Amino acid sequence: MASQFTTTARVKAHVGIPAGVTQHDARIGYAVDAVDSILLPLLGLDPISGSVTQQWYSDYIDVEEPDQDRVALTHYPVVAGSIAGVTSDGSLLVTTDWYSRDKVGEVVLTGSGSFFPEGKRKVVVTYQAGYASVPGALSLAGDAIGAWVFNQLPKAGFESERVGEYAYSAKGGASAADGDLPPLIRRLIAGREPRIVIGRVDVAER
């Protein structure tokens, strides 16, 4: 399974293993396979089917407050102008009844004193969200996660090796006992973590 964030070559370079040294390629490949299952949930996405590039979604949103005039979308960033429709209590709203705040991922009713009806799955919003391409910071986070996983995998009893001018050491850095990812990865994804949304949302990919 390939990663949408990194490659074997990128992780190898991140670890500091020359391209011509191939004895670790299988373990690096295993590490790359694990990257998405670790990084996607940190971004609020499904670890198997999630994607950070642009996709269509339909959010089925519960309205829990009697005076709620806005709903928050689950996926981010919302592609500007991509909202294809907003349905309230089964009725499709005309575009003058609402406006979107794409930068924060909200749909807001325009009328003074207008509110969404309370109830389960009362609002449906169909829209496109995601990045046009994987941001550099997320690619770097993928590299770092791949290197971190590689350093946790069994090394057949060795901690370091030397082949000619190439030397590699598995000592130091984060260990499995640390129980968390290195701080660098948290910094790279800062601002892209799952957001608190208004109401409870069920999501269906279009």
Side-chain angles (χ1 to χ4, degrees):
M1 181 181 70
S3 168
Q4 59 188 288
F5 300 102
T6 189
T7 64
T8 297
R10 286 178 62 101
V11 172
K12 181 182 284 191
H14 194 91
V15 172
I17 299 175
V21 177
T22 61
Q23 61 262 45
H24 305 299
D25 282 5
R27 283 202 310 278
I28 293 174
Y30 301 150
V32 169
D33 287 348
V35 168
D36 287 22
S37 64
I38 295 172
L39 184 48
L40 286 171
L42 295 176
L43 302 172
L45 297 168
D46 186 273
I48 298 174
S49 63
S51 174
V52 295
T53 54
Q54 293 175 356
Q55 307 286 330
W56 281 98
Y57 300 96
S58 291
D59 286 0
Y60 295 78
I61 306 171
D62 296 348
V63 177
E64 300 176 339
E65 301 294 335
D67 55 353
Q68 185 171 316
D69 66 348
R70 66 194 61 206
V71 291
L73 305 177
T74 54
H75 292 276
Y76 184 83
V78 175
V79 177
S82 72
I83 295 179
V86 178
T87 299
S88 176
D89 203 17
S91 298
L92 181 66
L93 301 181
V94 298
T95 55
T96 54
D97 287 341
W98 56 270
Y99 66 94
S100 62
R101 301 178 65 206
D102 295 334
K103 290 186 178 180
V104 296
E106 282 187 342
V107 173
V108 185
L109 294 176
T110 55
S112 176
S114 296
F115 304 109
F116 289 110
E118 286 184 83
K120 303 291 186 182
R121 298 164 64 93
K122 285 292 188 177
V123 180
V124 183
V125 183
T126 300
Y127 64 104
Q128 197 174 20
Y131 298 95
S133 59
V134 178
L138 293 184
S139 290
L140 185 56
D143 299 343
I145 290 174
W148 180 78
V149 172
F150 170 73
N151 283 327
Q152 313 311 314
L153 294 175
K155 301 295 192 301
F158 68 82
E159 291 185 323
S160 62
E161 65 179 354
R162 178 176 293 276
V163 180
E165 296 183 354
Y166 154 69
Y168 171 76
S169 173
K171 296 178 180 179
S175 69
D178 292 335
D180 203 0
L181 294 171
L184 169 64
I185 297 168
R186 299 288 181 182
R187 290 196 294 271
L188 289 169
I189 67 171
R192 296 184 172 92
E193 302 94 331
R195 297 168 301 128
I196 298 174
V197 300
I198 301 173
R200 190 163 58 251
V201 183
D202 294 326
V203 179
E205 290 190 25
R206 194 175 180 186

